[in-house]
């Protein structure tokens, strides 16, 4: 069933990575699990559980350096996620910008959700030109995705950022 799902057109990278993560659990062989987890990470390098599960499999295989590298990635992604959540809750818009910026830096500005959060924080802080800049970057990260809801939300936000920037 999962094999057929992975072959379907129109899956966005996070969904595909999650499917690989689930699929990896259906194999008894540690080598097979590492293979499928690695495929998931190739599709979406922001899935914390894929790194965590692969680190555990590397540990079983005695590959300590690879396990340590994956555990370090888990720590980095967890920290980025905490910063992202704190930026959404921050009452002070300047603090929200700083927290979102840090989350983006930890993920090399490659995770659309964190970049979108940075755009929103700039918008809340009144820096509409920066909101447009980061909103466009978030859009570029998902532009080729077939999934509609995320793209629709980003496009709508970008519309408001551009409108606010034009009014200044």
């Amino acid at each position: 069933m999962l094999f057929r799902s992975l072959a379907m057109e129109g899956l966005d990278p996070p969904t595909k990575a999650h499917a690989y993560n689930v699929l990896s659990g259906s194999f008894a062989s540690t080598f097979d699990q590492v293979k499928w987890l690695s495929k998931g990470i190739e599709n979406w390098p922001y899935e914390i559980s894929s790194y965590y599960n692969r680190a555990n499999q590397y540990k079983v295989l005695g590959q300590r350096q690879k396990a340590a590298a994956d555990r370090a990635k888990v720590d980095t992604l967890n920290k980025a996620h905490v910063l992202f959540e704190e930026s959404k809750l921050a009452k002070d818009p300047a603090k929200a910008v700083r927290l979102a910026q840090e989350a983006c830096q930890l993920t090399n500005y490659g995770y659309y959700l964190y970049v979108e959060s940075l755009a929103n924080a700039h918008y809340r802080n009144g820096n509409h030109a920066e909101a447009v800049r980061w909103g466009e970057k978030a859009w570029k990260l998902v532009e080729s995705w077939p999934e509609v809801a995320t793209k629709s939300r980003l496009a709508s936000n970008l519309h408001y950022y551009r409108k606010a920037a034009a009014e200044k």
Side-chain angles (χ1 to χ4, degrees), residues 101-137:
Q101 182 82 43
E102 233 180 295
C104 287
Q105 288 170 345
L106 287 170
T107 55
N108 294 318
Y109 298 87
Y111 189 4
Y112 78 92
L113 194 57
Y114 298 170
V115 176
E116 176 187 19
S117 178
L118 179 58
N120 189 19
H122 276 295
Y123 179 79
R124 288 176 34 217
N125 201 30
N127 192 343
H128 300 132
E130 281 297 295
V132 169
R133 174 179 170 221
W134 292 110
E136 287 174 346
K137 169 75 172 158

Side-chain angles (χ1 to χ4, degrees), residues 2 25 37 43 48 85 89 100 102 117 133-134 150-151 154:
L2 279 172
L37 289 165
N43 275 275
I48 297 170
E85 290 296 334
L89 299 173
E102 233 180 295
S117 178
R133 174 179 170 221
W134 292 110
T150 299
K151 289 168 71 172
L154 289 173

Side-chain angles (χ1 to χ4, degrees), residues 151-163:
K151 289 168 71 172
S152 177
R153 184 186 71 245
L154 289 173
S156 176
N157 288 346
L158 194 49
H159 168 77
Y160 287 112
Y161 302 157
R162 286 179 175 145
K163 185 176 176 184

